[in-house]
Amino acid sequence: MTELEACVIALIARDGPCTAYYVRMSFEQSAASTWRASTGSIYPLIRRLVARGLIRSRQDGDDKRGAKHLSVTPSGHEAVRDWLLDTPDWIGDASADPIRTRVHFLMLLGGDERARAVKGMIETTQRSLAAINAKMQHLKSAGETIEWLVHKGARAMLQARLDWLDEVSAIVRDDGAGGLRRPAAL
Amino acid sequence: MTELEACVIALIARDGPCTAYYVRMSFEQSAASTWRASTGSIYPLIRRLVARGLIRSRQDGDDKRGAKHLSVTPSGHEAVRDWLLDTPDWIGDASADPIRTRVHFLMLLGGDERARAVKGMIETTQRSLAAINAKMQHLKSAGETIEWLVHKGARAMLQARLDWLDEVSAIVRDDGAGGLRRPAAL
DNA sequence: GGCTCCATGTAAGGAGTTACATGATTCA
DNA sequence: TGAATCATGTAACTCCTTACATGGAGCC
């Protein structure tokens, strides 16, 4: 089971019976999730989950739009439970970070451009931080404790990156005019 | 251009001329990169980059294994420069974190299991942290300043997650025996 | 009547994964 | 001589993305 599949079942279990449209919108609105959950991925995914007996799809007779209400089967509930309780090593690893990736190669730039690049990274991180702060304020006043907590986690990691970027800035500045260094390994 | 493509060109620019095998191994050894860079992805990718004129592939006549040495063309260098200097908003966003994803749904578990799940998350994060610390020690003594710095960034974010998980632990414990709560949105 | 939202889907294409397949070199 | 490492590649499969396509419901 992929992360996205597990996440969809869990969402239906939590907010349950709901439409595929609701699932899609939930992912789109969450600052804490990466998935766009585009129509082209969500509908086939739900079909897969129904085929595997993890969720059920009930057509509402009253709704002429053809809305299908999704709910979780007993096997689905068990799958969610397993997903939450199983903590394989890889989920503990540091997540992929496009900014961290770029820092590997900062030395390919000359001194001025290098400083500009780091400045851009700091600014875009600050913008994300501001956005998440606004969202948290909204979640707090709405009493969405868990969502607020999740966003707090995202914020903590952004803040850690921002602090680290300060150090990056200092270190790559000290390195002088920008010679091309070649470490032995990535 | 995808992140992986840009990253491969940048790696060849930094460490280059080198073989596709070297590129693959570099990704595999780096705790800071997510990509497995499997053979099935790296060789087609390099063919693409050659076709686009971003890298060059020179067969070494002496090597009977057919090793091809890759180097970056002027357009390739420019592409790397653009990639490093352009900082679109999305790179500043909080990265996908499978642990943060799971926290959204902790309330689906009963009190005991919930505590067990959080404990697992904390332990797997601690293991990652220990591994990255060992790696940093090695990088420091090898004088790999930049690699060390990158790993320090990864460590800072892991530490932030660990601190946050303590708070998660306290909050979900206080919530009692495990009623299923239904927030309005993910 | 027209705009926005709710709601479902398909089709083409891109990119990555796993597994398979091959062969040279190096070193114990 | 056998195992590990260097080195390249293909094939089948899975999944996600973008773009397209359709239609009802509610509101001004």
Side-chain angles (χ1 to χ4, degrees):
Chain A
M1 193 162 56
T2 67
E3 287 288 294
L4 184 52
E5 285 170 349
C7 204
V8 166
I9 308 177
L11 179 67
I12 298 170
R14 196 191 62 180
D15 296 2
C18 62
T19 63
Y21 181 81
Y22 172 88
V23 172
R24 205 159 67 77
M25 289 301 133
S26 297
F27 283 121
E28 203 148 276
Q29 280 160 27
S30 173
S33 95
T34 355
W35 301 296
R36 227 121 284 289
S38 46
T39 59
S41 90
I42 205 72
Y43 290 102
L45 184 148
I46 281 174
R47 205 166 26 224
R48 277 202 304 275
L49 294 178
V50 170
R52 287 186 218 156
L54 298 169
I55 62 175
R56 221 178 293 117
S57 177
R58 225 178 318 130
Q59 182 115 21
D60 190 349
D62 293 2
D63 192 328
K64 278 162 192 161
R65 278 180 292 195
K68 293 175 184 171
H69 290 267
L70 307 168
S71 54
V72 179
T73 65
S75 332
H77 279 292
E78 197 171 340
V80 170
R81 188 179 157 277
D82 290 347
W83 177 65
L84 287 168
L85 281 170
D86 185 34
T87 45
D89 272 346
W90 69 266
I91 71 167
D93 291 346
S95 329
D97 181 341
I99 289 188
R100 208 190 318 128
T101 301
R102 281 162 173 76
V103 170
H104 278 286
F105 305 109
L106 272 180
M107 289 312 183
L108 290 171
L109 294 175
D112 285 356
E113 291 186 329
R114 204 151 70 207
R116 251 205 300 150
V118 177
K119 189 160 168 257
M121 294 171 186
I122 289 175
E123 283 168 358
T124 192
T125 301
Q126 282 170 336
R127 275 195 296 273
S128 284
L129 220 33
I132 228 166
N133 268 321
K135 188 110 194 218
M136 278 178 72
Q137 201 129 35
H138 172 261
L139 290 169
K140 187 160 200 176
S141 55
E144 306 265 28
T145 315
I146 291 297
E147 291 311 300
W148 172 83
L149 185 60
V150 170
H151 281 72
K152 191 171 183 184
R155 185 180 66 176
M157 292 177 85
L158 285 178
Q159 187 62 53
R161 183 167 69 196
L162 194 57
D163 296 342
W164 168 70
L165 279 172
D166 271 343
E167 190 177 356
V168 171
S169 180
I171 288 184
V172 302
R173 190 167 45 229
D174 289 351
D175 195 68
L180 171 57
R181 292 216 266 139
R182 306 195 174 186
L186 182 65
Chain B
M1 192 161 57
T2 67
E3 287 288 294
L4 184 53
E5 285 170 348
C7 204
V8 165
I9 309 177
L11 179 66
I12 299 169
R14 196 190 63 178
D15 297 1
C18 62
T19 63
Y21 181 80
Y22 172 88
V23 172
R24 204 158 68 76
M25 288 303 133
S26 297
F27 282 122
E28 204 147 278
Q29 281 162 27
S30 175
S33 95
T34 354
W35 300 295
R36 227 123 285 288
S38 47
T39 60
S41 90
I42 205 72
Y43 290 101
L45 184 149
I46 281 175
R47 207 167 23 227
R48 278 202 305 274
L49 294 178
V50 169
R52 287 185 218 157
L54 299 169
I55 63 175
R56 221 178 292 118
S57 177
R58 225 178 317 129
Q59 183 115 20
D60 190 350
D62 293 2
D63 193 326
K64 277 164 192 161
R65 277 180 293 196
K68 293 176 184 171
H69 290 268
L70 308 168
S71 55
V72 180
T73 65
S75 333
H77 279 292
E78 197 170 340
V80 170
R81 188 180 155 276
D82 290 347
W83 177 64
L84 288 169
L85 281 171
D86 186 34
T87 45
D89 271 348
W90 69 267
I91 70 167
D93 291 346
S95 329
D97 181 342
I99 289 189
R100 208 188 320 127
T101 301
R102 281 162 174 75
V103 168
H104 277 285
F105 304 108
L106 272 180
M107 290 312 183
L108 290 171
L109 295 175
D112 285 355
E113 291 186 329
R114 204 152 68 206
R116 253 207 296 148
V118 177
K119 189 161 167 259
M121 294 171 187
I122 289 175
E123 283 167 358
T124 191
T125 302
Q126 283 170 335
R127 277 194 296 273
S128 285
L129 219 34
I132 228 167
N133 269 319
K135 188 109 193 222
M136 279 178 73
Q137 200 130 34
H138 172 262
L139 289 169
K140 186 159 200 178
S141 55
E144 306 264 27
T145 315
I146 292 298
E147 290 312 301
W148 173 82
L149 185 60
V150 170
H151 281 72
K152 191 171 184 184
R155 185 180 66 178
M157 293 177 83
L158 285 178
Q159 187 61 56
R161 183 168 68 196
L162 194 56
D163 295 342
W164 168 71
L165 279 172
D166 271 343
E167 190 176 357
V168 170
S169 180
I171 289 183
V172 302
R173 190 169 45 230
D174 290 351
D175 196 67
L180 173 56
R181 291 217 264 137
R182 307 195 173 187
L186 182 67

